[in-house]
Amino acid sequence: MSNRTPDRRTDATSSRREHSRSGPSRWSHCRKRGVDGSMRTDEHEHTEGRHSSFTTPESSGPVSRCAAASDWGSQVEDDEMRRDLHRDLQRYRRRILAVDAPHRERKASSGSSGSCDSKEEDSLETDEGVLLRRQKQINYGKNTLAYDRYIREVPKHLRQSGVHPKTPNKFRKYSRRSWDQQIKLWRVKLHAWDPPTDNGTQEDNEEQLDFGDIMDIELDFPTLTEPAPQAARTGVMEDPEGSGTPVKVQRMDTAAASDIA
Amino acid sequence: MCLPPDGTETHPAVMENSTDEYRIQSFDPDTQMLLKTALKDPSSVDLEKVSNIIMDQSLKDHVFSKEAGRICYTIVQAEAKQSDGNVFRRNLLNRLQREFKDREDMRARSIHEWVCYVTFICNVFDYLKVNNMPMVALVHPVYDCMLRLAQPDALKNEEEVDCLVLQLHRIGEQLEKANSQRMDELFFLLRDGFLLQEGLTSMARLLLLEILEFRAGGWMLSSTANKYYYSEISE
C-alpha cells in the first residue's frame, strides 16, 4: 500500500499531472472509470503502475486507506455510503424476518431456544466499519467492465450457483479472512467476462491479481466465528484443491463451496 | 423542479425555460450551451470544468450565487442517474473547500467576493442533499462562515449583515437541527453585536433584531412582527 497524503486529493487536476503514469496496465481497458472518475470510452487510458484492483472506483487518485478523508468530496461520499448501508441493513433485516416468520411457530413448539426466529439475525454483521469496508470491496468489483458485461449477459433468474459469480453477502458474519477470500474468488470469477484485449485473446490474469497483504490463503479455512452453524449455508470453505492460484472459472465440486459462488 | 423531457431540448421555448430557471443569462452563449448540455448529458462534458465555471461565476455574480445551488443539484442528479458518477459533486465540493481555506484572504481582498462565496456555499448546502439530509461535511464550514459574519468587524458592513440574515432565513432551521450548539454560539454573538456594538447602521440593527425575533419564534415571524418589519407604512 502506498503512502498518500490526503492533501493530494484536494486538487484533482494537479494530482493527475503530478503522478506520472508508467503506462497502461494490462487491465486498464477493463476499468469502467478512469482514476479521475470519468467514464472511460474505448480509448487507451493510462493508469498508474499499480494493479487495477487497488484503484478506487471513482476518485481523483489512490488514497491512503488508513487516514480519514479530509476532503469534502470524500467525506460526503463516505457519508452517503454510510446512509445507504443503513438503509440496506434495514431492508435486509425486514427480508430475513419475513423469511423466518413462517418457521417461527413450528420451531418454538419443538422446544428450541426462543431466538429461533433470529437465527439469521444472530449472524448479522452490523459493525459499520466492517460494512463500509466490505461495501468498498464490493464496489471495486462492480466498477469493472467485466461486471457490467456479466449482469447484462446473465439475468438473475438464469444464474447457476457455482458457475456464475455471486456477490458475497456483506450482512452475514464471516471472519475477515473468510470474507476476503470470498471477494477474491468472486472477482476471479468475474474476470471470465473481461472484454477481449486488442490482440483478441482473453489473457490469463494470474500475475495481475495481487491481493498481497489481504490474502493469506489457508487451505484449511475457518468457518464461522460463532458456534453451531446450521446447514451449509452459513459455512464457507476453501476450495479443497486450492493452491491459491486463481483460475478463470473454477469448478466448484463441493456443496459448501457453492456458497462462495 | 421540472426538467424538460429528453427530445424537447431543441425547442426554443424549453431552452429559454432552462436559461431562466437556472439564471444562466449572465453567461456567454457558448458557456450557456455547455451548461445546458451538462444538465442533460453530463458524461459528455468535462464536469470538472463545469464545476469551476459555476464556482467562478458564483464568486462574481451575487444574483447568480443566490440560486446556483439549483443548477448544481440538477447536474449531480443527472450524473448519478446517467452513469452513477460523482465527478461533478466531488469537484465542486473540493473547490469549495479550497476557497474555504483561503476565505480570510478572500475577505481581505474583496468583501463582495466573500459575500458571494458564503451565499453560494449556503445555497449548495440547501440544495445538495444526501438521502434528503444535508451534507454533514458542510455543517461546520457553513457555521464558520456565519460566525465570521457575526464578528464585530463584519457587522459594521451592511453587505455582510445582509448576507448573514438572508442565509439564516433560508437555512437557519436546517443548520440548527444539524448542530444546535453552534447556533446558540452564533446567536450569542448576534445579541452582543446588536446590543453593544458601536458603528452599526440602523439598517444593520434592524436586520439583527429581525433575525433575533425570527429565531426566537421558531424560525418564523409572528404576524405582528411581520407587520412591523415588512408592511408598507401607509401615511
Side-chain angles (χ1 to χ4, degrees):
Chain A
M1 223 182 282
S2 75
N3 298 321
R4 311 259 178 199
T5 61
D7 283 343
R8 252 192 100 247
R9 305 188 72 231
T10 58
D11 186 341
T13 325
S14 69
S15 71
R16 245 181 293 139
R17 275 189 241 121
E18 263 168 25
H19 299 263
S20 56
R21 315 283 186 232
S22 56
S25 83
R26 187 185 288 182
W27 300 105
S28 58
H29 69 288
C30 294
R31 300 216 59 80
K32 201 160 84 174
R33 291 181 207 286
V35 291
D36 64 354
S38 49
M39 293 290 279
R40 275 193 181 159
T41 53
D42 283 335
E43 69 203 23
H44 219 42
E45 283 267 348
H46 290 270
T47 61
E48 295 184 296
R50 296 177 92 201
H51 297 293
S52 57
S53 57
F54 270 37
T55 316
T56 55
E58 66 276 0
S59 72
S60 53
V63 174
S64 160
R65 294 199 188 145
C66 312
S70 63
D71 68 301
W72 294 356
S74 303
Q75 283 180 31
V76 171
E77 273 177 33
D78 283 348
D79 192 36
E80 190 172 41
M81 210 185 297
R82 230 172 275 129
R83 292 189 198 279
D84 285 346
L85 267 177
H86 280 286
R87 186 197 55 206
D88 288 349
L89 183 56
Q90 298 320 310
R91 268 194 212 144
Y92 183 73
R93 272 207 165 104
R94 282 197 294 273
R95 244 177 60 206
I96 60 180
L97 283 176
V99 163
D100 283 337
H103 304 294
R104 224 176 288 170
E105 273 188 37
R106 232 189 311 133
K107 292 256 174 157
S109 64
S110 69
S112 56
S113 78
S115 62
C116 57
D117 61 348
S118 53
K119 267 226 166 83
E120 275 289 331
E121 182 86 24
D122 282 343
S123 49
L124 191 67
E125 180 62 68
T126 55
D127 180 316
E128 192 182 89
V130 172
L131 287 175
L132 266 174
R133 177 172 40 82
R134 291 182 176 183
Q135 185 63 63
K136 282 183 184 165
Q137 285 172 292
I138 290 172
N139 288 346
Y140 297 168
K142 289 191 173 178
N143 179 38
T144 54
L145 290 173
Y147 185 76
D148 257 3
R149 295 177 84 224
Y150 168 57
I151 56 175
R152 259 179 277 149
E153 202 175 292
V154 186
K156 272 196 176 161
H157 63 275
L158 290 179
R159 291 195 200 155
Q160 304 158 33
S161 77
V163 174
H164 292 125
K166 184 172 156 200
T167 310
N169 182 342
K170 63 181 175 268
F171 292 119
R172 289 236 188 99
K173 273 221 188 287
Y174 297 113
S175 68
R176 174 74 190 260
R177 284 178 176 180
S178 166
W179 171 263
D180 288 345
Q181 180 70 346
Q182 289 183 64
I183 287 283
K184 182 193 173 196
L185 294 167
W186 171 63
R187 297 208 53 194
V188 163
K189 281 187 145 184
L190 280 174
H191 273 292
W193 276 267
D194 279 332
T197 57
D198 286 345
N199 58 20
T201 59
Q202 279 195 343
E203 302 287 335
D204 194 355
N205 51 30
E206 279 180 44
E207 55 269 61
Q208 287 296 319
L209 289 179
D210 175 15
F211 289 81
D213 49 351
I214 61 168
M215 281 305 123
D216 234 328
I217 298 159
E218 294 169 20
L219 294 185
D220 274 325
F221 232 63
T223 52
L224 288 181
T225 48
E226 329 89 66
Q230 333 133 311
R233 294 291 307 153
T234 51
V236 176
M237 304 226 294
E238 167 67 335
D239 178 356
E241 304 161 299
S243 58
T245 310
V247 175
K248 255 198 292 206
V249 179
Q250 291 194 8
R251 273 190 306 116
M252 298 292 203
D253 296 324
T254 64
S258 69
D259 282 332
I260 308 170
Chain B
M1 188 180 330
C2 24
L3 270 185
D6 288 335
T8 64
E9 53 243 34
T10 51
H11 192 284
V14 164
M15 296 275 261
E16 259 323 292
N17 279 348
S18 241
T19 314
D20 284 336
E21 200 176 343
Y22 299 110
R23 318 280 169 91
I24 59 177
Q25 302 92 326
S26 46
F27 290 100
D28 63 79
D30 286 338
T31 310
Q32 283 193 36
M33 209 54 240
L34 175 66
L35 292 175
K36 286 177 189 172
T37 313
L39 290 165
K40 305 268 178 352
D41 187 13
S43 55
S44 69
V45 299
D46 179 349
L47 290 170
E48 186 186 344
K49 182 178 174 191
V50 171
S51 71
N52 281 324
I53 287 174
I54 294 177
M55 181 86 219
D56 292 335
Q57 186 67 13
S58 301
L59 292 176
K60 287 191 286 202
D61 180 348
H62 196 204
V63 172
F64 182 69
S65 69
K66 283 184 184 173
E67 278 300 321
R70 203 150 172 234
I71 189 175
C72 292
Y73 172 76
T74 311
I75 297 177
V76 169
Q77 296 296 100
E79 192 194 345
K81 188 172 176 198
Q82 186 181 48
S83 59
D84 208 21
N86 266 331
V87 173
F88 177 77
R89 186 177 73 181
R90 164 181 294 273
N91 277 301
L92 182 71
L93 288 172
N94 291 343
R95 173 79 196 271
L96 269 171
Q97 186 175 18
R98 288 200 295 280
E99 302 290 344
F100 178 75
K101 282 203 179 107
D102 294 330
R103 62 195 184 280
E104 210 47 55
D105 291 340
M106 187 200 290
R107 184 177 179 275
R109 222 174 28 238
S110 156
I111 301 276
H112 179 75
E113 194 179 323
W114 156 243
V115 161
C116 284
Y117 173 79
V118 178
T119 307
F120 182 54
I121 189 176
C122 290
N123 206 233
V124 167
F125 178 81
D126 196 11
Y127 276 104
L128 256 61
K129 302 281 206 296
V130 169
N131 295 142
N132 292 320
M133 298 282 290
M135 290 191 281
V136 173
L138 290 187
V139 172
H140 279 301
V142 167
Y143 267 119
D144 289 342
C145 291
M146 297 286 106
L147 281 149
R148 182 63 184 88
L149 288 172
Q151 298 301 317
D153 62 342
L155 291 178
K156 288 210 189 95
N157 299 324
E158 232 172 77
E159 204 179 349
E160 289 184 86
V161 180
D162 191 66
C163 175
L164 172 66
V165 303
L166 178 63
Q167 297 319 314
L168 282 176
H169 273 111
R170 296 184 80 171
I171 63 170
E173 195 170 2
Q174 295 178 58
L175 269 181
E176 187 177 52
K177 214 178 281 178
N179 187 324
S180 62
Q181 203 176 349
R182 292 204 80 186
M183 190 55 82
D184 291 338
E185 194 188 333
L186 176 63
F187 271 76
F188 287 152
L189 283 178
L190 293 181
R191 275 190 211 98
D192 284 350
F194 173 78
L195 284 169
L196 310 167
Q197 176 121 2
E198 295 188 2
L200 290 189
T201 66
S202 54
M203 177 52 98
R205 276 199 294 268
L206 183 69
L207 292 173
L208 286 176
L209 186 60
E210 194 268 1
I211 198 70
L212 287 167
E213 284 200 60
F214 186 71
R215 189 211 179 190
W219 303 101
M220 54 186 196
L221 277 186
S222 68
S223 55
T224 45
N226 211 341
K227 235 184 263 175
Y228 177 85
Y229 291 103
Y230 295 107
S231 348
E232 304 275 322
I233 300 171
S234 48
E235 291 209 34

